[in-house]
Amino acid sequence: MQKFLHLLTALFFIPVFSFAQTFQVQYGTPNNEDAYALDITPGNGFILSGSSFGNGTGGTDAMLTKTDSLGILQWSKIYGGTGNELAIYVKSVPGGGYVFSGETFSDDPAGDAFIARTDANGNLLWWKNYGTAGYDIAYDIKPLANGNFIISGLVENPVSSYDGFIMLADANGDSIWTRIFSGAGYEHAVKVIPTSDNGFLFCGKMFTYANVPGWSDAWLVKTDANGDTLWTNIIGGPVWEEAMDIIESNGGYVFCGGESSFGSGYYDVFMMKTDLSGNLLWSKTYGGQYTEDCYSIVEVPSGGYAMAGYTETFGPGNIRGTDSSNAFVIRTDFNGDTLWAMSYGGVLKEECFSIANTSGGGFALAGYTGSFGDSLNAYIFKIDSMGYSGCNERRAYPDVITNAAYVETHHSVDVTSGLHKLVPVITTTTPAAIHHTVLCFPLDVSEINNDLQIDALPNPASDIVTLQWNSSAHKEPVEISVYNVLGERLQFEIRRFEETISFNTSEFPDGIYFFCVRSGNVLANTRVIIAH
């Protein structure tokens, strides 16, 4: 009885708490801005890379934007010459500062790849261009443990159209070696990673190579530490596949992208896993009636994977099909089986290009939005472990096709080296007009919606708690979560049709718990005392 009275007293003095810190924020000017990559910074803030139009020395300039852990703008800087620049990828550098990569048209009208480094405040330390006489771009750059950087991209070849390349650069951005991979058609090296055996692996696409399965196919190339090829694999169906991101995980490689050979709509997300020799172990596609695509994948510390991209089928405001889209996240287990999927945005257009794990089991994502202002704006949002940010979101239920009939081939390609280097004049500007708009902060678990009623019996409880609610008025499946007073999610279930559920709480420590029921964006909760 004394224990119960202490808990009952605590019930009236417990502070109001929120879900894990989540938000949606956009950044921009009256012109267009976007964000292509995001990375976690010291202090759990965020760095974004993208572009800004009309605020610098050229038409479009590369842009870095730094925020705190709540997405509040700390600084934004743009970098450019007389032509157009675009910053595609950014990473925090051990020891401080940031490194980013992309394309520039200021010194070579045909376009060059660039890599650049700044200090922690965004001040430019160095900028190096690399390329050929044609068009070149650096899609990816990653810091290595020894202080060097590995870069991937494409170069234009007058004989074979476009070729993929990887380059190892030192701490000053100077090339140590380059490898250019040339086939009979177009080759793109999109993302590159260092591997556990001290080599490198890149993924991308191979387009119209002789005797490959389709028009475009996912392309993997594994090299040793010197960039010399160990194996290649080309994976595809009769129409189109392209690989956009890759990670090493659980004794193999997992990669994602888009495909149109075996999915359920025009174009679908795929995820595949190979062994360490590149042999395909399994594949899954995820999609709906229209187009879905994937740009980024991470392994989740608690197990499984999370992918980010966009959807034209599922969305909180997407009513127009193929001329609008929403940001899209799919969370799976280690076998690629869907745990949940969610779309984010408004009635016009959003895409998501990057996803990162955050503390507490959630995710941070970056892209652009066109739904909440008079132009395209850079878009960053942070979600909890179940995908919730607090607004502009909807559960999605994509069709999943397992182990489609993909064909593997292993064509070799010509490998050459050499890109010219140029150190151009690049101006750094702080755009005075940059602003940030908070679209939502977390929903508070104390919020009650009168349209959804929930009861818990008995309360106080010892071993079993039964929840009852009225979900008949809501078309969304009902989700039930259990939180402790720290806001940590302890259990989660989805009930599609039932209006009651019983929880075994015999293993819960004595205390106060929040049993939350959500139907779409409607949330209700009740506090329950557990006293054994």
Side-chain angles (χ1 to χ4, degrees), residues 108-163:
D108 180 356
D112 278 328
F114 80 80
I115 58 175
R117 183 171 180 178
T118 75
D119 64 16
N121 297 313
N123 300 308
L124 196 62
L125 300 178
W126 49 256
W127 178 297
K128 308 288 173 71
N129 288 0
Y130 289 91
T132 64
Y135 171 68
D136 314 289
I137 185 171
Y139 289 121
D140 191 15
I141 183 168
K142 293 205 171 65
L144 304 177
N146 61 5
N148 293 334
F149 303 100
I150 188 69
I151 300 102
S152 64
L154 68 83
V155 299
E156 186 173 9
N157 186 317
V159 176
S160 58
S161 297
Y162 293 105
D163 299 325

Side-chain angles (χ1 to χ4, degrees), residues 167-284:
M167 179 175 71
L168 185 68
D170 65 19
N172 295 313
D174 295 322
S175 175
I176 298 172
W177 51 253
T178 62
R179 298 290 184 267
I180 301 173
F181 301 82
S182 304
Y186 293 9
E187 292 77 44
H188 291 230
V190 178
K191 288 290 180 67
V192 62
I193 58 172
T195 55
S196 58
D197 60 358
N198 298 317
F200 302 103
L201 174 68
F202 71 81
C203 72
K205 68 177 179 180
M206 178 172 282
F207 183 68
T208 63
Y209 196 102
N211 300 319
V212 298
W215 288 75
S216 173
D217 297 286
W219 184 38
L220 309 181
V221 177
K222 177 71 172 64
T223 78
D224 62 17
N226 297 313
D228 296 324
T229 305
L230 298 177
W231 53 258
T232 66
N233 198 358
I234 304 160
I235 304 171
V239 188
W240 192 282
E241 284 74 34
E242 55 184 308
M244 299 301 293
D245 198 9
I246 192 164
I247 56 176
E248 184 172 350
S249 172
N250 281 351
Y253 304 112
V254 178
F255 57 103
C256 74
E259 67 85 45
S260 59
S261 294
F262 300 111
S264 57
Y266 296 148
Y267 199 79
D268 291 285
V269 171
F270 75 74
M271 178 164 54
M272 301 184 190
K273 183 174 183 180
T274 73
D275 62 20
L276 292 176
S277 298
N279 302 302
L280 186 62
L281 299 177
W282 54 257
S283 68
K284 291 182 185 288

Side-chain angles (χ1 to χ4, degrees), residues 337-502:
D337 295 324
T338 307
L339 301 178
W340 53 260
M342 189 83 88
S343 62
Y344 307 84
V347 297
L348 294 180
K349 193 171 184 65
E350 284 78 32
E351 292 192 45
C352 181
F353 298 101
S354 184
I355 184 169
N357 292 298
T358 62
S359 59
F363 307 95
L365 302 105
Y368 69 80
T369 175
S371 296
F372 305 108
D374 55 3
S375 62
L376 289 182
N377 280 178
Y379 185 34
I380 175 176
F381 54 105
K382 185 179 177 184
I383 60 179
D384 67 14
S385 61
M386 294 309 302
Y388 286 112
S389 66
C391 67
N392 308 311
E393 57 199 18
R394 183 172 296 276
R395 275 282 183 245
Y397 300 93
D399 299 327
V400 180
I401 298 174
T402 302
N403 296 332
Y406 289 108
V407 176
E408 301 176 71
T409 57
H410 302 274
H411 294 290
S412 62
V413 295
D414 296 329
V415 181
T416 58
S417 62
L419 295 174
H420 70 260
K421 182 182 74 172
L422 180 67
V423 182
V425 176
I426 296 294
T427 302
T428 303
T429 307
T430 300
I434 200 79
H435 65 268
H436 77 273
T437 303
V438 176
L439 303 177
C440 61
F441 272 131
L443 291 174
D444 196 291
V445 300
S446 64
E447 177 184 344
I448 301 295
N449 189 294
N450 293 327
D451 293 332
L452 185 62
Q453 299 295 328
I454 176 175
D455 295 307
L457 298 171
N459 188 10
S462 57
D463 295 329
I464 300 293
V465 173
T466 299
L467 303 184
Q468 296 178 334
W469 61 90
N470 60 321
S471 65
S472 58
H474 302 283
K475 296 181 180 180
E476 299 286 342
V478 172
E479 303 178 0
I480 304 98
S481 301
V482 183
Y483 294 86
N484 62 20
V485 293
L486 299 178
E488 299 169 332
R489 193 190 302 262
L490 305 179
Q491 284 188 237
F492 172 80
E493 292 199 22
I494 293 179
R495 314 290 286 183
R496 291 184 180 271
F497 305 108
E498 301 90 338
E499 295 187 358
T500 182
I501 184 175
S502 294

